[in-house]
Amino acid sequence: QVQLVESGGGLVQPGGSLRLSCSVSGGIFRVNHMAWWRQAPGKERERVGVITMGGSTTYADSVKGRFAISRDNALKKVYLQMNNLTPEDTAVYYCNKIPPYADWGQGTQVTVSS
C-alpha cells in the first residue's frame, strides 16, 4: 500500500543545484528513518544519506557538504537539496525508509552534464 513518488530531477550543469522531493503515502512515515539512494548506470544502488525521525542527518562521504536532506512529516515529504553537482552525481535517485520498503518508486533522473 505504500507509495513513493520522487520528483525534481533533470539536466543540470556541473556546479549547479537541484532539489528533489519524495512524496510518501501509506506506511508509517513518522516513526521511520528515511533515506535517499541513487543508482548510476552500471553501478549498484548507493545510499546517499539518512534523515532520522528527529531530523538529524548523515551523508555518504561522496556528497557530504554538498547535499542536505530534510523532511516534513505533516506533508509526508522528504527532500534532497543537491548543490555543487558533478557528473559523478548522475544517477536515478530514490527515496525510501530504513529498512526499505520492498516496493521502490520509479525514481527521478538526475543528469549532470559538462
Side-chain angles (χ1 to χ4, degrees):
Q1 188 170 352
V2 65
Q3 182 172 307
L4 302 164
V5 180
E6 300 91 347
S7 63
L11 176 65
V12 64
Q13 295 181 13
S17 298
L18 285 173
R19 178 174 171 269
L20 309 184
S21 296
C22 170
S23 297
V24 184
S25 64
I28 45 177
F29 181 88
R30 288 173 177 80
V31 298
N32 287 326
H33 298 354
M34 297 291 293
W36 284 92
W37 285 259
R38 65 186 181 186
Q39 187 166 26
K43 292 186 174 181
E44 295 186 351
R45 186 168 290 156
E46 169 193 23
R47 195 170 73 185
V48 172
V50 175
I51 185 165
T52 69
M53 292 171 281
S56 63
T57 55
T58 58
Y59 302 94
D61 288 343
S62 58
V63 306
K64 187 175 177 60
R66 301 187 297 118
F67 290 12
I69 301 172
S70 59
R71 66 191 293 163
D72 189 323
N73 289 347
L75 297 178
K76 294 187 176 181
K77 287 194 170 189
V78 187
Y79 306 97
L80 178 64
Q81 178 67 47
M82 305 185 296
N83 300 318
N84 195 22
L85 287 161
T86 75
E88 289 70 36
D89 297 316
T90 295
V92 178
Y93 284 72
Y94 304 87
C95 67
N96 214 323
K97 72 175 185 70
I98 296 176
Y101 293 116
D103 295 331
W104 292 77
Q106 294 299 305
T108 185
Q109 175 72 52
V110 172
T111 302
V112 185
S113 178
S114 61

